[in-house]
Amino acid sequence: MSTILKLELESRCSIKNKKAGLSEPSGLALAPDGSLWTVCDENRRLFRIDFAGQIQESLEIGNRGLEGIAFDAEGQICVVDEDVSKIIVYDCQTGKEILNRRLQDLEGFASIAAHFEEIDGNGLEGITFDTMHNELLLLKEADPGLLIAVSADLKRITSVEILDEQKGFTAEGKKMDFSGMCFDAKRDLLWILSEEARCVFTFDRRQSRVVQRHSLKKNQQGRSIRYAEGIAVDKNSERLYVVSDDDAKLTVFRIV
């Protein structure tokens, strides 16, 4: 991909609603119908929100410690549990658990087992669905950062990439971490967030390298995004959405 992408800040709003339990969002995804969904790691609910940050719906679920959210090919909600390195699938209408899979039970786990022996808070942090390759992608936060591809039936690990400096991931003197990602079907790219580096990378899996690095630090308007934890892209409207956990804010960028 040779086209240089730019992000123009369009809007920013609070999505915090302590009464409803939405205070520290830890993931973001765009549903097949175009709506936004988020998850919080401190409660047992999934939230559908509008683009002004208002809660439209919430689903009660049976798990805490959830760090990412995505929609699979069937339109079901997929999340990752950081504490036990597990993928959980929920019905998007009822919140009922359909299935769950521990990473260690997947075929091919032996190749990455050593990286999960002592995760110490650096476990699974993000999830997205690659519609072009029909597989779920999981993101490990650090030590090392990993991009783990899993078959759509959640039975086997199909590939693993270490996300390091050689591939273009740099944090300008800080420890590199990863906090969220989403798949861009229009460009066949991943948008990958780093909270510590305060930026979002576009990553080309075909070339196994970072294509661009977009800063989330102060821009011309004096705006800065802290604690970025979730990201979603709308290929139709050319919008990129970023959610922050401690600040509980939704930031919208126009992709130009």
Side-chain angles (χ1 to χ4, degrees), residues 19-37:
K19 185 177 181 180
L22 178 48
S23 58
E24 295 185 6
S26 57
L28 191 68
L30 202 69
D33 65 3
S35 60
L36 279 174
W37 285 78

Side-chain angles (χ1 to χ4, degrees), residues 15-255:
I15 64 173
K16 183 175 290 187
N17 188 324
K18 288 187 176 181
K19 185 177 181 180
L22 178 48
S23 58
E24 295 185 6
S26 57
L28 191 68
L30 202 69
D33 65 3
S35 60
L36 279 174
W37 285 78
T38 190
V39 61
C40 297
D41 56 4
E42 291 302 320
N43 61 40
R44 291 180 169 87
R45 286 190 177 275
L46 305 173
F47 299 92
R48 179 169 62 88
I49 60 175
D50 63 20
F51 298 100
Q54 299 301 305
I55 296 174
Q56 303 298 300
E57 178 184 2
S58 69
L59 297 177
E60 187 173 357
I61 55 176
N63 295 82
R64 297 179 67 178
L66 305 182
E67 283 291 340
I69 182 170
F71 286 83
D72 66 12
E74 305 300 323
Q76 300 169 143
I77 297 174
C78 302
V79 299
V80 289
D81 186 322
E82 179 186 30
D83 298 333
V84 292
S85 300
K86 183 166 61 175
I87 307 167
I88 310 170
V89 181
Y90 296 106
D91 183 280
C92 65
Q93 300 296 324
T94 65
K96 181 181 178 181
E97 183 178 308
I98 298 173
L99 61 85
N100 68 71
R101 291 284 188 274
R102 295 184 304 171
L103 201 59
Q104 68 185 60
D105 293 333
L106 302 186
E107 180 184 333
F109 177 74
S111 65
I112 57 173
H115 299 312
F116 285 86
E117 289 177 355
E118 296 181 12
I119 54 176
D120 192 27
N122 291 313
L124 297 178
E125 192 74 13
I127 184 171
T128 191
F129 188 74
D130 184 332
T131 55
M132 297 189 73
H133 300 91
N134 193 38
E135 56 190 7
L136 278 170
L137 301 177
L138 312 180
L139 185 67
K140 183 178 181 293
E141 181 176 1
D143 295 331
L146 297 176
L147 180 64
I148 305 165
V150 176
S151 59
D153 59 8
L154 303 186
K155 291 185 178 180
R156 67 188 186 281
I157 293 172
T158 58
S159 68
V160 178
E161 289 195 70
I162 296 178
L163 306 180
D164 57 15
E165 190 172 348
Q166 289 186 338
K167 291 185 171 64
F169 293 100
T170 59
E172 298 179 347
K174 294 187 176 182
K175 181 181 177 181
M176 192 71 227
D177 78 331
F178 301 99
S179 54
M181 68 174 172
C182 65
F183 177 69
D184 186 334
K186 179 177 180 178
R187 302 173 180 89
D188 192 10
L189 290 174
L190 287 173
W191 295 82
I192 301 179
L193 282 174
S194 172
E195 179 182 351
E196 286 294 327
R198 199 80 67 86
C199 70
V200 56
F201 299 93
T202 49
F203 182 72
D204 188 333
R205 292 183 68 199
R206 295 162 297 177
Q207 302 179 56
S208 189
R209 69 177 182 90
V210 170
V211 178
Q212 281 185 257
R213 186 182 194 274
H214 305 270
S215 176
L216 298 180
K217 297 178 182 178
K218 285 187 178 181
N219 55 23
Q220 293 87 344
Q221 292 83 17
R223 298 290 186 88
S224 178
I225 299 177
R226 307 181 303 168
Y227 316 120
E229 283 282 330
I231 188 168
V233 64
D234 188 333
K235 61 184 178 64
N236 296 317
S237 70
E238 295 289 357
R239 297 296 188 274
L240 189 75
Y241 305 94
V242 176
V243 73
S244 306
D245 63 355
D246 285 10
D247 288 345
K249 292 185 182 297
L250 175 69
T251 303
V252 183
F253 293 97
R254 189 161 63 94
I255 304 172

